[in-house]
Amino acid sequence: MVHQKIGRILEYPFSGLIVFLVLGLFVPLVIPTYWVMVVTEILIMGLFATSFNLLFGYCGLLSFGQAGFFGVGAYVTALLLSKGVGSYILICIASITATLIAAYFIGYLCVRRDEIFFAMLSLGFGMMLFTIAHNWREVTGGSDGLPLSTVPPVDLGFSKISLFHPLHGYYFVLAFVFVGLCILQVVVHSHFGLMLKASRENKERLAFSGGNVASVRLVAFLMAGGLSGLAGMLFCIFNRMATPDMLHWSFSAKPVLMTILGGAEVFWGPFVGAVIFFVLEQLVTNITENWMFVLGLLLIPIVLFFPRGILGTVLNLMKSSGRGSHGQ
Amino acid sequence: MASENILEVRNVTHRYGDFIALKDVTITVPEERLTALIGPNGAGKTTFYNVVSGKYRPSRGSIIFNGVNVTGYSPHKLSLMGLSRSFQITNIFHELTVIENVMIPIALHEGKGFYFWTKYRKDRHLFNEAMKVLSLVGLEDVYARVTRELSYGDRRLVEIAIVLAGKPQLVLLDEPTAGMTPEETEKMVHLIKNLATTTETTFFFTEHDMNVVFSVAEYIYVLHQGELLAQGKPEDIRADPKVREAYLGGSLDT
Ligand SMILES: Nc1ncnc2c1ncn2[C@@H]1O[C@H](COP(=O)(O)OP(=O)(O)O)[C@@H](O)[C@H]1O
Ligand SMILES: [Mg+2]
């Protein structure tokens, strides 16, 4: 049957990336301009949620301060752009480097804790970053943030491409998000990825097997932080501003919600969660202002009855129905 | 010169708060001698292993492994140096497959823990090494199963496989037959004897079942209320009245 085949294809590690790339390249060509903007935001938040899930799904660490790193990436980008820096390569390197430095210090202090202690520590450090963004007016612009009057064109050598055109902006974001997702996908299937699963499963056994649990976690924390910073950079370029609410703990809740919607146990769960989150938000806000209420209504049955999330549940059904008819 | 004793524990004392769980314990394990640590429940056997394997730092005393003073070393460091252990309560990766359980220590001991770009599932060498270890304990047929689905006895064997995977020089087994059926116990005893003679690894195990101890061990230490009560060959220990008293008679003759 067709869906069994799909199930088997989905188990092949890189088929997800291929599907993503094909959809990513062609979908914006057939949807209205307004939706191109929505899908751009989905890409950015999908990368953000997937990097968050490297910690949550693969290491069992609930980071509640991930927005702090997203915000560092966004502010570094805004600062450089407002100072007239025109090279996106340079901006990308600078925002990721700054995020990695922040993630190193915060991660060093967080990774020796578990569960609620890790979550609260990461929340606390995230709020410290928020406070810096909010109160250091001379540099960060305080509560107004840093609005950008313009963003420079992308210099491809043979031509310069303006990011003001929604489709250009979209493909610009797609390229970075695709690279970010490729990195994550490769990492979770690597020897290191096996150590991440081991640290989530049984960190004592990992230690007594020769693994330095704190180092394994710290490296994962750096990767998740760096890619969240990359997402923040894209968000800043896309919205032409950096604001303190990007670092607020309520912004950290977004990847958590998206991951729970889509499913933490599967690589594409958080991304699918981001798609559902934004598409629903668009549809619901057309009808009612109470989008958060509807989101709550949706989350409750998922948490209670489908703890694997929407994608996790669907993939699981496909797998078990595939197995069922194998036996016949 | 490196000593012939793989392990020397010198005058170790360990306290939990005010409670003294180990009192001035000195134990020596020569290379390749199958040694046992026995004692009634609560004697301090597990505490002793926790101290030796780096889970706890002893309140006093020192631990010499292979001629190196390793007191206070972390478990992962000791593991990489060749000191491996099992736990009284099965301590494995329950949600991973059997072969993944064994691949983890092998990859770590081969220095592949931070390989980011190589797929562990495509690592033929890692797979083959893991299968070799699984065949030592007889689990090669169930290598692809999720560990949680195995029988209790097989899960205990997975832990033995994990412990052996890094080719350790010294293995500490904390009550390897705990909770096993008589058949599983016999299989485990046979396995330990076999491994001790066929590999270069030195085995040091704790056990509460006296029959197991006397049939396997070449040398025995007896711990009682945190203190070393006796040591010697199995026949000496069997005849020792102090040991009989500690076990409240009975069980030594069964
Ligand atoms: N983590 C701990 N905290 C406090 N007391 C402990 C702890 N672990 C063991 N004990 C106590 O230390 C004594 C020795 O325990 P243990 O080493 O587990 O003995 P055995 O393995 O010989 O049965 C027991 O009285 C036990 O209650
Ligand atoms: Mg014990």
Side-chain angles (χ1 to χ4, degrees):
Chain A
M1 279 174 63
V2 179
H3 65 261
Q4 287 169 31
K5 253 190 206 142
I6 295 172
R8 221 168 300 139
I9 291 168
L10 283 170
E11 273 180 28
Y12 178 72
F14 295 110
S15 46
L17 282 171
I18 295 164
V19 172
F20 170 83
L21 191 60
V22 171
L23 287 177
L25 285 173
F26 294 108
V27 163
L29 301 177
V30 297
I31 55 177
T33 302
Y34 174 74
W35 278 89
V36 172
M37 314 281 277
V38 174
V39 177
T40 311
E41 195 167 355
I42 290 177
L43 287 178
I44 297 169
M45 294 305 283
L47 174 63
F48 183 34
T50 310
S51 65
F52 156 83
N53 199 42
L54 185 70
L55 292 174
F56 182 61
Y58 289 89
C59 304
L61 297 171
L62 173 56
S63 163
F64 229 103
Q66 209 61 20
F69 305 124
F70 188 90
V72 170
Y75 270 92
V76 170
T77 303
L79 281 169
L80 290 177
L81 285 174
S82 64
K83 296 274 182 301
V85 175
S87 157
Y88 285 107
I89 303 279
L90 195 70
I91 289 169
C92 179
I93 292 170
S95 6
I96 291 181
T97 307
T99 315
L100 288 177
I101 293 169
Y104 181 82
F105 287 108
I106 293 174
Y108 185 85
L109 297 166
C110 288
V111 294
R112 282 169 186 79
R113 300 283 178 270
D114 293 296
E115 307 189 352
I116 190 70
F117 301 101
F118 176 88
M120 289 303 112
L121 267 181
S122 63
L123 175 81
F125 285 116
M127 285 311 282
M128 280 167 65
L129 291 174
F130 165 80
T131 310
I132 293 171
H134 191 268
N135 294 354
W136 194 13
R137 300 192 59 93
E138 309 82 70
V139 176
T140 63
S143 56
D144 300 333
L146 294 171
L148 299 167
S149 48
T150 182
V151 291
V154 182
D155 191 349
L156 289 179
F158 52 91
S159 73
K160 289 190 175 183
I161 294 169
S162 162
L163 292 178
F164 285 95
H165 190 298
L167 266 183
H168 295 171
Y170 172 86
Y171 285 114
F172 176 83
V173 167
L174 178 68
F176 281 97
V177 170
F178 182 69
V179 171
L181 292 173
C182 283
I183 292 172
L184 285 166
Q185 177 75 258
V186 168
V187 163
V188 301
H189 287 104
S190 68
H191 291 81
F192 176 70
L194 179 62
M195 300 312 150
L196 295 185
K197 283 196 271 183
S199 77
R200 177 197 64 204
E201 274 296 303
N202 187 341
K203 70 184 165 98
E204 181 175 63
R205 193 13 111 194
L206 178 61
F208 283 92
S209 301
N212 186 337
V213 178
S215 305
V216 167
R217 285 176 167 183
L218 182 59
V219 171
F221 200 88
L222 287 171
M223 289 180 170
L227 290 170
S228 297
L230 178 67
M233 172 195 97
L234 296 171
F235 199 77
C236 171
I237 295 169
F238 172 66
N239 287 312
R240 283 177 223 120
M241 62 176 166
T243 52
D245 53 287
M246 289 176 191
L247 295 87
H248 196 257
W249 64 266
S250 55
F251 204 90
S252 288
K254 287 191 180 187
V256 182
L257 294 175
M258 290 167 186
T259 300
I260 288 169
L261 272 177
E265 292 172 14
V266 281
F267 181 82
W268 292 98
F271 205 95
V272 168
V275 173
I276 297 167
F277 186 94
F278 280 102
V279 172
L280 265 185
E281 184 181 27
Q282 291 301 322
L283 301 180
V284 172
T285 43
N286 278 341
I287 308 164
T288 158
E289 301 224 314
N290 303 318
W291 151 237
M292 280 295 160
F293 184 81
V294 177
L295 181 63
L297 273 187
L298 180 68
L299 275 170
I300 291 162
I302 288 180
V303 170
L304 290 179
F305 305 115
F306 306 103
R308 287 165 189 268
I310 290 172
L311 184 68
T313 306
V314 169
L315 289 181
N316 209 40
L317 284 176
M318 282 182 177
K319 244 195 244 170
S320 53
S321 75
R323 220 178 271 153
S325 45
H326 253 302
Q328 284 168 8
Chain B
M1 202 193 99
S3 71
E4 288 160 30
N5 291 331
I6 187 109
L7 180 69
E8 289 174 29
V9 177
R10 295 182 189 151
N11 309 101
V12 158
T13 295
H14 192 69
R15 291 194 187 83
Y16 295 114
D18 288 339
F19 178 73
I20 300 176
L22 291 174
K23 199 172 167 190
D24 202 26
V25 174
T26 296
I27 282 179
T28 305
V29 180
E31 257 176 59
E32 301 260 6
R33 180 155 79 184
L34 186 45
T35 308
L37 177 65
I38 67 170
N41 254 332
K45 304 183 294 294
T46 298
T47 302
F48 179 79
Y49 274 13
N50 285 342
V51 165
V52 172
S53 65
K55 182 166 175 173
Y56 302 136
R57 196 194 169 96
S59 311
R60 287 170 87 174
S62 51
I63 294 145
I64 317 295
F65 173 60
N66 238 344
V68 181
N69 187 337
V70 296
T71 319
Y73 277 31
S74 56
H76 77 265
K77 199 165 175 188
L78 287 169
S79 166
L80 294 178
M81 288 172 76
L83 193 159
S84 195
R85 73 168 287 188
S86 75
F87 290 79
Q88 189 169 347
I89 298 163
T90 315
N91 200 344
I92 59 179
F93 306 104
H94 281 99
E95 298 301 321
L96 304 183
T97 61
V98 172
I99 193 149
E100 283 172 334
N101 267 268
V102 183
M103 281 174 158
I104 290 163
I106 296 176
L108 288 167
H109 282 257
E110 291 186 351
K112 293 176 174 171
F114 291 97
Y115 278 23
F116 303 115
W117 316 118
T118 47
K119 277 196 202 150
Y120 75 88
R121 287 206 172 97
K122 289 268 164 71
D123 187 338
R124 291 306 302 179
H125 167 76
L126 184 60
F127 180 85
N128 291 337
E129 290 296 311
M131 285 306 275
K132 268 190 228 163
V133 175
L134 287 178
S135 66
L136 282 179
V137 300
L139 287 178
E140 65 271 38
D141 291 339
V142 294
Y143 77 94
R145 295 269 296 278
V146 176
T147 318
R148 161 175 44 80
E149 296 170 356
L150 301 184
S151 69
Y152 176 76
D154 282 352
R155 291 202 301 267
R156 299 282 294 173
L157 287 175
V158 169
E159 183 156 7
I160 302 291
I162 293 176
V163 166
L164 295 174
K167 300 197 171 73
Q169 292 172 278
L170 174 65
V171 161
L172 312 177
L173 301 175
D174 196 357
E175 302 209 19
T177 68
M180 284 188 157
T181 63
E183 298 84 65
E184 287 171 338
T185 300
E186 198 177 322
K187 206 172 140 195
M188 182 62 89
V189 169
H190 187 77
L191 175 68
I192 295 171
K193 263 188 185 168
N194 205 11
L195 290 169
T197 47
T198 57
T199 66
E200 306 208 324
T201 303
T202 306
F203 287 84
F204 183 19
F205 68 105
T206 74
E207 188 51 74
H208 63 276
D209 183 333
M210 290 304 116
N211 294 316
V212 170
V213 178
F214 291 128
S215 70
V216 176
E218 293 165 2
Y219 197 82
I220 298 174
Y221 286 92
V222 185
L223 207 55
H224 182 50
Q225 293 181 353
E227 289 184 82
L228 208 55
L229 188 70
Q231 57 174 297
K233 299 227 158 59
E235 51 275 22
D236 303 334
I237 297 298
R238 198 194 283 270
D240 192 325
K242 278 185 299 184
V243 178
R244 286 170 171 266
E245 202 181 314
Y247 271 90
L248 296 165
S251 66
L252 280 187
D253 298 315
T254 53

